[in-house]
Structure formats: C-alpha cells, structure tokens
Amino acid sequence: MLKSDEIERALVVTAHPDDVDFGAAGTVANLTDAGVEVTYCLVTDGQAGGFDETISRPRMAAIRREEQTKAAAEVGVTELVFLGLMDGEVEFGLELRHAISRVIRQVRPQVVITQSPTINITSVYGSHADHVATGEATWAAVYPDARNPFAFPELLTSGYEPWAADEIWIMFGAGHPGETAVTVDITDNLERKIQALRCHASQHREPDALETRVRAWFREIATEGGLDEGRSAERFVVVDAR
Ligand SMILES: [Zn+2]
C-alpha cells in the first residue's frame, strides 16, 4: 500500500452517497491530513434510499447530494463529481467505463478507492448490485481504459490525456478466501468518520444506534487486523495496478 507521502491525489468511486463514509472516510481523513487531494465520484444520487415515502425521488437525489457534500467536508474533501445515474440501475458496461475513465483522466490519481468488483457471498448488503457494477467498471477504467490512448479515443481528442493509477484499494476487501487485506488505523479520525456518517440523516431512523453499531464494527476490524485493544480501523485489499 502506497504511503500518504507517495500519493498526490486519490479518487474514490462509489455507487451511492454514504458508501465512502462506511468504507473509507477515516482513511480519507488520514490522507487529507497528510496533504493528499481526494476527489469523490458518485455514480448514483441514492434516490432509492431512505424510508420517507413523502419525499419525491428527485428531491431525495438533491438531499443526498447535499448530505454527501457535507460528509465529504468533514473529512477534508471538497471535490465531488456526480455522474447522476439512477440508484438501483447501475450496470457494468461501456457507458459507465467511459464515464469513470473520463473522471480518472481528469483527476489523475495515484490511488483509486472503490467497491469490490465481485460479489462477496458472505455479505448480501455489501454486495448490492450497484456496488459490484461500480467496482467492476472502475476496475476496467483503471486498466485498460484510462491508460490506453486507443480506448474511448474521443476522450483524448477532448483533451483527456491517458492516466495510469498505481493502486486500487478495495473497501472492506472482496471476501475471497485467503485474501490479504491491509488494516488502516483510523482511531485519530474516528470522530470525523462518525460525523460524516451522521451527515446522511435521510438514511438513518436511529442515528445513535447506527453510531453504536459503527463504533463496534470498526473496533472489530482493528482487532481482526492485529491492532491494539481500543483502536479502530478500516480494511482494504490493495491491488497493484502498475
Ligand atoms: Zn451503497
């Protein structure tokens, strides 16, 4: 895993508002504290989320963009790109690969953080079809699309030069037997991660219960990763893309 002083820019690509805050906000805060520029790319607006049927879906999209923008600011991120797809309708394919490739060529990140490109058969919630499609399209955008000048040639003629990211970090890992994950200590930024999660107010009926659950969850990841008692951590599978 590249160290923060080896990273100038990082890009996080996720399906829904709040995915990054569950999976990586503590690590993102560590990066921005170290001076790394981090950009978020949101594939959908999360219109199918929440529980309030009186809120129209276009209104929900606007609410969720606003919530994600506030959550990003909590961890030092001010650059957000919204692709605006419909929540629940993300499909792996050339259109999404093209859109993510354009963002990679714009941002020029050393590290791309995203979701698992394969279903984790131990986690139904973690393997939402939108997540898997987003992870797979991002994988293809890192290699070969964004770095190959002959892929989507109109990107090059529009001024988006090819770009090769060095690493992909898969949030939570992919759940494959025997996979090696990297444990990132986020204890110093845990409160900011919690605040970021709380920004997604439209999604939480009981924010205090969520907080309790989240604190236990990230302490458990730290313990599994061999960190000392009382530490909190996020976990990534790191893929060398060089
Ligand atoms: Zn999601």
Side-chain angles (χ1 to χ4, degrees):
M1 183 183 240
L2 287 175
K3 295 187 173 58
S4 53
D5 62 2
E6 298 171 302
I7 308 167
E8 282 179 70
R9 293 170 303 278
L11 172 68
V12 184
V13 187
T14 58
H16 311 114
D18 81 9
D19 291 341
V20 59
D21 296 306
F22 280 106
T27 301
V28 167
N30 290 354
L31 290 173
T32 60
D33 280 351
V36 177
E37 281 174 43
V38 180
T39 301
Y40 288 174
C41 174
L42 280 296
V43 172
T44 79
D45 290 329
Q47 304 94 319
F51 44 83
D52 187 343
E53 289 172 22
T54 66
I55 299 175
S56 75
R57 293 304 100 182
R59 174 83 192 109
M60 182 56 86
I63 290 170
R64 298 208 69 188
R65 283 191 184 206
E66 205 182 306
E67 289 173 345
Q68 183 64 82
T69 303
K70 279 189 198 154
E74 292 285 349
V75 292
V77 177
T78 53
E79 293 294 326
L80 293 90
V81 179
F82 293 96
L83 298 183
L85 271 67
M86 183 65 200
D87 184 357
E89 297 182 5
V90 182
E91 285 182 316
F92 171 72
L94 288 175
E95 212 176 323
L96 186 56
R97 286 168 59 177
H98 184 283
I100 297 170
S101 298
R102 183 172 45 82
V103 177
I104 290 174
R105 290 187 187 198
Q106 260 173 337
V107 174
R108 304 167 77 78
Q110 285 77 34
V111 171
V112 176
I113 301 173
T114 191
Q115 296 167 298
S116 173
T118 59
I119 287 176
N120 175 350
I121 58 166
T122 67
S123 170
V124 168
Y125 290 105
S127 303
H128 188 299
D130 287 355
H131 294 187
V132 179
T134 295
E136 192 174 7
T138 303
W139 184 282
V142 168
Y143 175 80
D145 303 337
R147 67 184 63 185
N148 183 348
F150 305 109
F152 307 125
E154 69 286 357
L155 287 178
L156 187 52
T157 52
S158 309
Y160 298 108
E161 296 283 339
W163 181 259
D166 296 328
E167 286 183 350
I168 305 171
W169 297 358
I170 298 183
M171 304 190 305
F172 296 112
H176 294 168
E179 74 184 8
T180 308
V182 176
T183 304
V184 177
D185 189 329
I186 60 160
T187 312
D188 294 344
N189 277 310
L190 179 65
E191 299 313 314
R192 292 167 78 194
K193 176 184 176 82
I194 301 280
Q195 284 314 310
L197 280 163
R198 279 181 171 271
C199 289
H200 300 280
S202 69
Q203 306 304 299
H204 308 313
R205 277 181 204 274
E206 294 173 2
D208 292 341
L210 169 89
E211 181 175 330
T212 306
R213 214 169 60 239
V214 161
R215 285 181 186 280
W217 184 7
F218 292 93
R219 271 199 308 270
E220 194 183 307
I221 291 177
T223 307
E224 286 168 3
L227 300 186
D228 288 344
E229 179 113 7
R231 307 302 288 179
S232 295
E234 290 167 345
R235 180 172 54 215
F236 302 87
V237 163
V238 175
V239 181
D240 192 337
R242 282 166 287 201

